[in-house]
Amino acid sequence: MKIRKMMKRYCPKCKKHTEQKVSQSKKKTPFSTHPLAKAGKKRRGFGHGFGNRGTRGSKPAIGSFKMTGKKSSKKTDFRYECKECKKIWVQKKGFRAKKIEFT
Ligand SMILES: [Zn+2]
């Protein structure tokens, strides 16, 4: 998907439409946004594996042959930088796209 580098958007600080620079932030893992949350996490529950991982029975673990829970596209995470007040606004809702191109 092609995205324009400069966009005219509404800036709540300037209270008018201004030229804003669009950029995509880095891909984040769940704990990079809240690093301290990792420290207190106990190795328990759903996050730490579920089931017996196919060790019992003849079938391999379902995760090894099926694309379960895997999405091939990522949600966009745009930042809009207002040219006039230099404030950066984060987009409200991302949409799924495999590839983002800035033109
Ligand atoms: Zn502004």
Side-chain angles (χ1 to χ4, degrees), residues 39-89:
K41 202 183 170 230
K42 281 182 185 149
R43 299 184 77 231
R44 232 174 167 196
F46 295 110
H48 175 56
F50 193 69
N52 61 5
R53 296 191 184 171
T55 50
R56 279 153 206 269
S58 54
K59 273 191 200 168
I62 204 159
S64 65
F65 64 92
K66 257 187 176 174
M67 298 266 278
T68 47
K70 237 183 213 175
K71 289 196 172 86
S72 58
S73 61
K74 281 259 186 321
K75 268 191 184 173
T76 59
D77 188 14
F78 292 141
R79 305 284 141 112
Y80 300 96
E81 192 188 339
C82 176
K83 246 188 163 185
E84 288 184 31
C85 62
K86 302 275 181 212
K87 176 138 177 65
I88 294 170
W89 303 98

Side-chain angles (χ1 to χ4, degrees), residues 16-27:
K16 62 178 179 182
H17 275 76
T18 55
E19 283 266 297
Q20 293 184 27
K21 205 173 126 189
V22 188
S23 61
Q24 201 179 20
S25 72
K26 282 180 210 161
K27 277 163 199 158

